[in-house]
Amino acid sequence: MSTVPELFGSMVFDDKVMRARLSAEVYESLRDTIRKGKKLDLSVANAVADAMCAWAVENGATHFTHWFQPLTGITAEKHDGFISPAPDSHVLMKFSGKALIQGEPDASSFPSGGLRATFEARGYTAWDPTSYAFIKEKTLCIPTAFCSYGGEALDKKTPLLRSMEALNTQALRILRLFGNAEVQRVVPNVGPEQEYFLIDREMYLKRKDLIYTGRTLFGAKPPKGQELEDHYFGAIKPRVKAFMEELDEELWKLGIYAKTEHNEVAPCQHELAPIFTVANVASDHNQLMMEIMKKVALRHGMVCLLHEKPFAGVNGSGKHNNWSLSTDTGVNLLSPGETPYENAQFLLFLVAVLKAVDEYQGLLRLGVASAGNDHRLGANEAPPAVISVFLGDELSAVLRAIETESPYAGTEKRRLRLGADVLPRFNRDTTDRNRTSPFAFTGNKFEFRMVGSSDSISCANIMINAAVAEALRQFADRLESAEGDFDANLHELIRESVSKHKRIVFNGNGYDEAWIREATEQRGLKNLRTTPDALQMVLHPENVEMLVRHGIFSEAEIRSRYEITLENYVRTVRIEALTMADMARREILPALMRYRGDLALSVGAAKQAVPVLPCRSDVKRITQLSSLIDAIDEATDALAGCIEAMDGDVTAQAFYIRDRVLDAMSALRGVCDEAETITAASYWPFPTYGDLLFGV
Ligand code: ADP
Ligand code: MG
C-alpha cells in the first residue's frame, strides 16, 4: 500500500510529471499557455501528446477521451483507443498533438437550445490546459471546453473560463490603482463542500421514485427523523467509514484534495469538503467527485443520492461554495490585511462583492435554479430564496462607521480614514457562524450556500465572477478618472457604496418569516421562489447587457441556456409526476386493496364463526381504507389529467408546472402518506422512510 503522498495525484499528468517528461523548452512553452493563456503551437502540442501518451500507457491506459461538461449537467466522454496500426500486424500506442488540442465529438444529441442548426450538428472540444489531464478507468481524460462550429459555448466550462478572464481583467485594474505592478493574474478560488446521502442499495432498487427521479415522491414521516440531531458529527458507521476511505483514495489518485468527511444533521447524510483550488479546476474536480462517490458507493452495496431533497421532512443537500479571490503572488484579496493600505484594498474588494450581490441577486439565484433545488431553498434548513449577505457584527460596525463618518469603537474613538487607519482585527471565530445566510463572509472568503448538491458549481461561479467583475469595472472606471487625492476618492467610493448597498447585509436569522417580509417589503430584495421565476431574470436587459459586455455569454447563448434550463425543469417534474401516477396506480392502490380485501375476509369469517363477533376496529379500518383508496384514485386521475393538459411553449409549461402540477403532486402524496400510516407494514409495497434512513 502506498502512502498518501505517493498516492496523491498519481493518476494526474501534473506539473511534476510535465517537468520530468517534457524538454525544458516544451515545458516552458506549456507553462506559458497555462499561466498566461497563450496559444499552444502544434509542435509543442505534439511533444506534449507524445509524453502524455507514454505516461498514460505506463499507467495502464488504453484509451483517451476529451472530457467535457455539456449542458446536461453531467460530464461526457467519448473514448478513442491509442492503438494504431504498425507494420507486420503490430500495433503502436499513439496520440497526436492535434487530437490533444481539439476533438470533434458527434454531439448532435447534446442540448444546444437551438444554437447548432442540424446541418452543422458537430461541436468541437478544445483542451483547457489549466486543468490537468488524468487517468480514470484506463482512460486518459483531457479536460476540454465544448463549443459549436460558430464558436458558441455548448458547455458549462467555456463561460466559466470567460468569467474568470473578465474578473482577472477588472481586478488587475484595481490593483494597478493601488500601485501594484507586480501581480499578473487574479483568480477566483473555490472550495465546494459536497453533501450527500447514502442508502442501502437493495432498498433503493425497490423504489421506482429513487430509480427514476433520485428522490422519494412518497413516504410518511417516520417515528424518528433528525429531531435528536444525534447524527451530526456522530461516529461514522463501519460501512460508511469503509466507503469514505475508498473514496478518499480514489480522489487522491486524481489529485483531488478531499480533506474532511463528517456526518451531517439528517440520518445517513454526509459531507465531503475538499481543499479549495482555482474555480475551473474546482468545478472539474467536483464533477469527478460526484461521479466517483456514486461508483464507490455501489461497491459497498450502497447508493449515493446527490439530489437536493431526497426525503421530505429531513434536511436536503447543498454544496457550500466557498469563494475568494487571490493573486499569483499569493495574496487573498478578501483577507483583511495588516497595514492601512492593505485594509483599504480589502474593503474595496469586500464592498465590490456587496454591490455585486445586491445588483445581481437575480443572476445569483438563477445560477442555482433547478427543480430539485426548489424543494430546498426556503425550506427550513436551507438558505431562503431571498439573497442577503452576512458580514458579522464587527465588520458591519466598521462599514457603518465609514458610512456615517462616525467614530468606530475599536479605533480609540477616532474616525476611520481609509488608507490611514489600521482596521481592528476581525475575529475569525467559527462560533460566530450564521448558518442561515445564503451568502456569508467567513473571515477571508464568502460562502455561497444556495448551490444544489447535484448541480455543477459552474453556473453559480459564472454569476458570482461576472457580477463582481462588473462591480470592479465600475469602481475602476470611477477611480481611474477621478481627480485629486486617491485615498480621499477611495474613501468616498467605499462610503457611497456601503450606503447604497447596505440593504443586502443581514446578520440575523434568515429562516425567520419576519425577515422574509422585511427583505421583500422594506428592503425591496427579490424573493424568487421557483426556477421559472428565477430564470426570467436572465432575460432582463440590464443582466443581458452585463453578461455580454464582459464577453461571458452572447445574447444567443443566454437565450439558449434559458431554454435548456427551463426544458430541463419541465422534463424533470414531468418524469416525477408520471412516476407518482405509476406508483400510485400499480403499487400503492393494489396494496391497499389487498389489505382491505383481507380485512373484509376476516370480518366475513368473524360473522360466521360462532361465537367470535366482528371486531369494530376491522370495520373502522376498512372504512378508512375505502375512503383513502377513492381519494388516491381521484388524486391520481387529477395529476394525470394535469400532465396531459400541459401545453404551449417551454415557458408556459414551466409556469403551468409551478402553478398546477406541483400542487397536484403534493395532493396525491398527502393521501398516499396518510394511507401508509394505517396500512400493515407487510402490505406496504416499498421500503419506508424509516427503512431507508436507518437502513445502512
Ligand atoms: P471554515 O471552517 O472557516 O469554513 P474550512 O477550512 O473548514 O473553513 O473550509 C471550508 C471550505 O472552504 C473548504 O472546502 C475549504 O477548502 C474552503 N476554503 C477555505 N479557504 C478558502 C478560500 N480562501 N477560498 C476558497 N475556499 C476556501
Ligand atoms: Mg462551511
Side-chain angles (χ1 to χ4, degrees):
M1 184 101 189
S2 349
T3 63
V4 174
E6 278 166 11
L7 205 63
F8 192 82
S10 57
M11 289 293 153
V12 185
F13 193 77
D14 59 13
D15 192 61
K16 198 171 72 219
V17 183
M18 288 182 201
R19 210 167 333 138
R21 291 185 173 247
L22 299 173
S23 71
E25 201 184 337
V26 170
Y27 174 78
E28 275 316 316
S29 179
L30 184 58
R31 286 299 300 167
D32 259 13
T33 301
I34 292 172
R35 260 195 310 252
K36 302 185 196 135
K38 263 180 51 188
K39 218 172 141 43
L40 203 62
D41 65 57
L42 196 59
S43 65
V44 174
N46 278 328
V48 176
D50 276 346
M52 250 188 207
C53 179
W55 169 83
V57 170
E58 276 167 41
N59 283 286
T62 53
H63 287 70
F64 71 92
T65 181
H66 277 200
W67 183 80
F68 58 102
Q69 292 152 36
L71 296 168
T72 49
I74 50 168
T75 52
E77 35 195 82
K78 175 192 157 212
H79 297 188
D80 275 307
F82 285 125
I83 184 170
S84 112
D88 304 326
S89 328
H90 282 90
V91 292
L92 276 174
M93 299 301 256
K94 258 172 66 178
F95 185 43
S96 70
K98 202 164 149 274
L100 166 65
I101 304 180
Q102 190 163 321
E104 286 185 18
D106 172 18
S108 48
S109 51
F110 291 114
S112 76
L115 278 181
R116 261 171 311 135
T118 35
F119 59 84
E120 48 145 3
R122 287 173 314 165
Y124 71 90
T125 50
W127 184 29
D128 164 17
T130 60
S131 183
Y132 297 133
F134 56 91
I135 299 173
K136 179 168 69 79
E137 285 156 1
K138 298 192 175 183
T139 302
L140 171 69
C141 299
I142 298 147
T144 55
F146 177 42
C147 297
S148 77
Y149 263 93
E152 288 108 350
L154 296 174
D155 67 351
K156 304 201 172 189
K157 167 168 268 193
T158 308
L160 177 61
L161 292 171
R162 292 173 182 162
S163 74
M164 290 166 66
E165 216 37 64
L167 191 52
N168 173 53
T169 306
Q170 303 305 332
L172 283 179
R173 286 176 69 196
I174 299 286
L175 292 181
R176 299 290 180 255
L177 279 162
F178 277 85
N180 186 327
E182 202 193 347
V183 170
Q184 295 301 310
R185 194 151 183 93
V186 173
V187 292
N189 282 313
V190 174
E193 302 166 57
Q194 177 75 48
E195 291 180 334
Y196 60 97
F197 280 82
L198 286 176
I199 59 168
D200 184 76
R201 181 162 178 270
E202 293 304 315
M203 291 190 197
Y204 168 90
L205 290 174
K206 293 188 181 129
R207 294 210 45 146
K208 290 219 183 74
D209 47 3
L210 288 174
I211 295 175
Y212 294 149
T213 73
R215 74 177 180 108
T216 55
L217 300 169
F218 298 101
K221 202 177 158 352
K224 176 178 173 180
Q226 64 186 48
E227 301 81 358
L228 299 177
E229 302 210 344
D230 49 357
H231 189 252
Y232 191 49
F233 281 68
I236 299 174
K237 291 184 183 147
R239 195 167 163 199
V240 174
K241 183 85 191 129
F243 157 84
M244 286 179 175
E245 272 171 21
E246 191 175 332
L247 175 63
D248 279 344
E249 265 183 34
E250 294 285 331
L251 294 173
W252 289 339
K253 280 192 227 164
L254 294 175
I256 298 173
Y257 304 94
K259 189 161 159 68
T260 28
E261 310 233 21
H262 64 77
N263 288 352
E264 269 295 333
V265 176
C268 75
Q269 191 186 27
H270 310 277
E271 181 188 287
L272 176 82
I275 296 174
F276 67 91
T277 177
V278 185
N280 63 319
V281 177
S283 172
D284 284 357
H285 282 180
N286 184 252
Q287 293 298 126
L288 278 171
M289 186 185 279
M290 292 194 285
E291 179 185 329
I292 291 169
M293 276 177 168
K294 287 190 186 160
K295 283 189 182 146
V296 174
L298 286 178
R299 290 186 214 143
H300 292 262
M302 298 184 288
V303 172
C304 172
L305 301 177
L306 291 171
H307 195 281
E308 284 74 19
K309 197 73 182 174
F311 303 100
V314 276
N315 283 359
S317 299
K319 194 137 50 188
H320 291 179
N321 189 87
N322 293 275
W323 182 95
S324 68
L325 272 180
S326 74
T327 67
D328 57 353
T329 52
V331 175
N332 178 352
L333 295 170
L334 292 178
S335 195
E338 305 284 335
T339 65
Y341 156 90
E342 286 168 346
N343 285 166
Q345 184 178 295
F346 157 72
L347 281 178
L348 188 67
F349 279 100
L350 183 88
V351 169
V353 177
L354 290 188
K355 175 177 164 73
V357 177
D358 186 23
E359 288 179 347
Y360 296 100
Q361 296 160 46
L363 289 183
L364 291 179
R365 172 64 183 88
L366 81 86
V368 299
S370 70
N373 219 11
D374 282 1
H375 297 290
R376 181 177 158 259
L377 298 180
N380 65 1
E381 91 281 0
V386 175
I387 300 190
S388 63
V389 178
F390 169 85
L391 288 181
D393 293 338
E394 273 185 294
L395 198 45
S396 301
V398 169
L399 294 189
R400 205 172 314 117
I402 294 171
E403 184 206 351
T404 54
E405 306 267 18
S406 55
Y408 177 73
T411 51
E412 299 145 12
K413 304 276 174 219
R414 280 186 299 127
R415 285 187 182 176
L416 273 176
R417 286 313 295 183
L418 286 172
D421 287 339
V422 181
L423 287 183
R425 295 205 65 85
F426 302 114
N427 204 350
R428 281 206 57 207
D429 185 1
T430 43
T431 54
D432 176 39
R433 280 302 164 75
N434 181 324
R435 293 178 58 89
T436 65
S437 173
F439 208 104
F441 183 68
T442 50
N444 61 358
K445 63 188 191 299
F446 280 94
E447 189 169 329
F448 185 34
R449 304 205 175 108
M450 290 174 103
V451 185
S453 49
S454 67
D455 219 356
S456 153
I457 60 168
S458 292
C459 301
N461 286 294
I462 291 167
M463 296 310 174
I464 301 175
N465 294 345
V468 175
E470 172 61 14
L472 293 174
R473 180 191 73 84
Q474 291 183 25
F475 285 178
D477 278 358
R478 173 160 157 183
L479 291 172
E480 278 167 2
S481 62
E483 283 164 19
D485 178 41
F486 175 72
D487 286 349
N489 293 335
L490 179 67
H491 188 91
E492 190 47 30
L493 174 62
I494 292 181
R495 206 186 62 72
E496 268 181 46
S497 304
V498 172
S499 168
K500 198 159 160 213
H501 301 294
K502 65 183 175 196
R503 66 167 188 165
I504 199 75
V505 177
F506 177 64
N507 294 327
N509 178 4
Y511 301 166
D512 199 344
E513 262 309 307
W515 158 241
I516 304 298
R517 266 195 315 270
E518 177 186 332
T520 51
E521 289 163 20
Q522 281 143 45
R523 301 200 189 193
L525 300 179
K526 294 192 167 69
N527 186 13
L528 301 161
R529 298 189 54 110
T530 68
T531 296
D533 294 310
L535 278 170
Q536 301 313 305
M537 292 294 126
V538 84
L539 305 176
H540 282 203
E542 68 275 14
N543 290 336
V544 174
E545 199 264 341
M546 186 277 276
L547 293 167
V548 171
R549 174 201 285 272
H550 290 280
I552 294 163
F553 289 115
S554 67
E555 277 190 46
E557 286 170 343
I558 290 174
R559 187 78 218 175
S560 86
R561 264 151 227 261
Y562 167 83
E563 303 254 326
I564 290 168
T565 316
L566 267 191
E567 231 164 59
N568 197 0
Y569 172 83
V570 169
R571 285 182 190 159
T572 302
V573 182
R574 221 182 116 86
I575 291 170
E576 290 180 348
L578 291 172
T579 304
M580 281 191 96
D582 185 73
M583 287 172 77
R585 281 190 180 136
R586 302 198 312 125
E587 297 186 64
I588 297 174
L589 282 173
L592 295 175
M593 287 165 173
R594 203 163 48 240
Y595 181 40
R596 188 182 66 145
D598 287 353
L599 286 173
L601 274 181
S602 77
V603 170
K607 269 187 186 145
Q608 283 154 26
V610 188
V612 182
L613 292 173
C615 163
R616 248 184 307 121
S617 58
D618 274 344
V619 178
K620 176 178 143 206
R621 185 57 42 95
I622 291 171
T623 318
Q624 279 176 328
L625 284 168
S626 299
S627 70
L628 279 169
I629 287 171
D630 281 343
I632 292 173
D633 193 49
E634 276 162 30
T636 311
D637 288 349
L639 177 59
C642 219
I643 304 168
E644 245 158 58
M646 242 161 80
D647 198 17
D649 66 9
V650 69
T651 306
Q653 291 188 21
F655 280 105
Y656 178 80
I657 280 177
R658 182 195 71 176
D659 298 332
R660 299 285 306 280
V661 179
L662 292 178
D663 286 343
M665 284 167 68
S666 75
L668 175 56
R669 176 174 185 149
V671 275
C672 289
D673 289 357
E674 191 186 339
E676 186 193 322
T677 63
I678 59 157
T679 302
S682 59
Y683 285 82
W684 196 249
F686 38 74
T688 63
Y689 266 34
D691 299 333
L692 291 167
L693 290 169
F694 299 97
V696 166

